[in-house]
Amino acid sequence: MAYIAVIQGGGALGAGTQSRIQSLGRVYSKVYGVSTGALMAPLVATNKYKELNNIYTNVDDNSIFSVLPYKTKKGKTTLRKGLSLFRLLLGKKSIGESKNLYKLIRKHFTVEIYNKVKELNKDVIVSCFSRTKREIVHFRLSDSTYEDFVDWIWYSANVPIAMTLGEKPRKAGGIIEEWYDGGVSDGHTLSYAALNAHPGDTIDLFTHDELPDPTKIYEPKKNWLGYLWELVDPFRGISRTVINKGDYEAGLQIAKAKRLKVIIHYWGDKLTDNSLVFNKNTMRSWAILGKEIAKNKEYQKVYDYT
């Protein structure tokens, strides 16, 4: 029996997730990461929890954004409307840029960690969404060069419209595709992980939802980013509704057929309306909360098909 981690997106909420994973004390043979989960996947696979905690409790907006698309005043976050309009008029594909995040990834996901994952024979997979072909694509560290995998981690974590849009062929010599946040379809990764698991394996699914409802219908967040995203890319709402609902259900059906155990780790309460705001004090409080609820059965939903 092996333990498999599936770490979903959630931006700054990753601060709580990383401490939660550490507190469980599992050793994972496979780690699947989406969005903020992609950022931590190689470090989880190599048990670099001290470094993970240091990252997630010390970053701020400037650590992530090279062009910040919003402003925060008196605790209220609003869109930088003039900047956003100016960038869109110039033909930019996003209202913000996340080149500082790219630097952060390279700083902490080193060549040494890349090689350590291979040495330990761990399977690390991150998921990106191809805007060009409208599909989720999974990239394995073992099949990628270090430079390529840095890109896939970065693209997986780049929220559409707000952050840098990736441009890269999925294979050398292929056509250039546009890439963004694999969190567009969080649910798809559960299905993929279940398909690649063995009977008796346990999948820990770390979600940033309040409740463990794998059949939920996604509804766009009613904040400035949600409205802008719907306006610029209406496919977002359709994809999240159809893909998330269908793939969560599909993932559990696959788990049942393969006699797996799936544990959904959730939050119970809504912690934020905008997880793209990176506030050190808030993230430190979430890291503490993650430890407190890590082993609490009230914040877990178990599907045991073994």
Side-chain angles (χ1 to χ4, degrees), residues 48-303:
K48 299 287 186 181
Y49 290 112
K50 184 176 181 180
E51 185 165 354
L52 261 179
N53 187 69
N54 183 58
I55 296 168
Y56 274 92
T57 56
N58 286 288
V59 296
D60 56 21
D61 290 334
N62 292 324
S63 305
I64 307 299
F65 292 97
S66 46
V67 176
L68 190 63
Y70 57 81
K71 57 185 176 181
T72 302
K73 187 175 183 181
K74 296 182 179 179
K76 185 177 180 181
T77 302
T78 56
L79 178 69
R80 296 174 67 185
K81 297 177 182 177
L83 171 68
S84 300
L85 180 60
F86 179 69
R87 285 180 61 83
L88 292 175
L89 287 174
L90 285 178
K92 301 290 185 181
K93 296 180 179 180
S94 65
I95 60 173
E97 296 286 351
S98 57
K99 293 177 182 177
N100 289 349
L101 174 60
Y102 178 80
K103 295 176 183 177
L104 191 69
I105 294 169
R106 291 190 68 94
K107 178 180 178 181
H108 295 284
F109 171 55
T110 61
V111 173
E112 289 73 23
I113 290 177
Y114 169 83
N115 289 330
K116 187 67 174 179
V117 171
K118 289 189 168 185
E119 178 187 324
L120 294 171
N121 198 29
K122 296 293 183 76
D123 208 4
V124 173
I125 302 99
V126 301
S127 305
C128 304
F129 184 78
S130 170
R131 186 171 184 264
T132 306
K133 296 192 175 181
R134 300 297 193 186
E135 64 181 6
I136 292 291
V137 183
H138 307 283
F139 296 98
R140 273 186 160 76
L141 180 147
S142 59
D143 296 333
S144 307
T145 65
Y146 169 75
E147 296 293 340
D148 282 341
F149 207 68
V150 168
D151 285 341
W152 299 133
I153 291 173
W154 184 40
Y155 297 161
S156 180
N158 279 340
V159 175
I161 306 304
M163 302 171 83
T164 304
L165 181 68
E167 295 180 309
K168 182 185 182 78
R170 67 178 71 185
K171 292 182 179 180
I175 64 167
I176 299 292
E177 296 180 52
E178 294 180 333
W179 301 94
Y180 58 52
D181 194 347
V184 165
S185 177
D186 271 339
H188 192 279
T189 309
L190 174 60
S191 297
Y192 191 71
L195 281 170
N196 288 280
H198 300 287
D201 287 352
T202 295
I203 297 176
D204 280 319
L205 172 62
F206 298 94
T207 177
H208 297 97
D209 295 329
E210 305 93 77
L211 299 172
D213 183 3
T215 63
K216 72 174 184 178
I217 294 292
Y218 172 81
E219 293 183 2
K221 292 180 179 180
K222 301 303 181 183
N223 57 27
W224 58 265
L225 180 59
Y227 285 121
L228 183 63
W229 197 351
E230 290 293 341
L231 178 64
V232 177
D233 191 356
F235 177 77
R236 168 192 183 244
I238 299 171
S239 68
R240 288 295 296 258
T241 297
V242 175
I243 298 174
N244 266 14
K245 181 177 185 296
D247 283 331
Y248 268 125
E249 292 177 332
L252 291 175
Q253 288 300 315
I254 295 168
K256 184 176 182 179
K258 299 194 72 171
R259 304 193 307 278
L260 308 176
K261 184 176 182 179
V262 178
I263 305 174
I264 302 179
H265 302 264
Y266 63 100
W267 286 102
D269 296 307
K270 189 174 186 178
L271 300 180
T272 180
D273 285 320
N274 191 346
S275 58
L276 275 185
V277 177
F278 296 85
N279 180 283
K280 290 182 183 179
N281 291 331
T282 302
M283 293 172 73
R284 287 169 182 170
S285 70
W286 290 340
I288 294 171
L289 178 62
K291 291 181 181 179
E292 292 175 347
I293 69 172
K295 297 181 180 179
N296 191 327
K297 302 298 184 183
E298 294 182 8
Y299 299 94
Q300 299 176 7
K301 180 70 174 179
V302 180
Y303 297 86

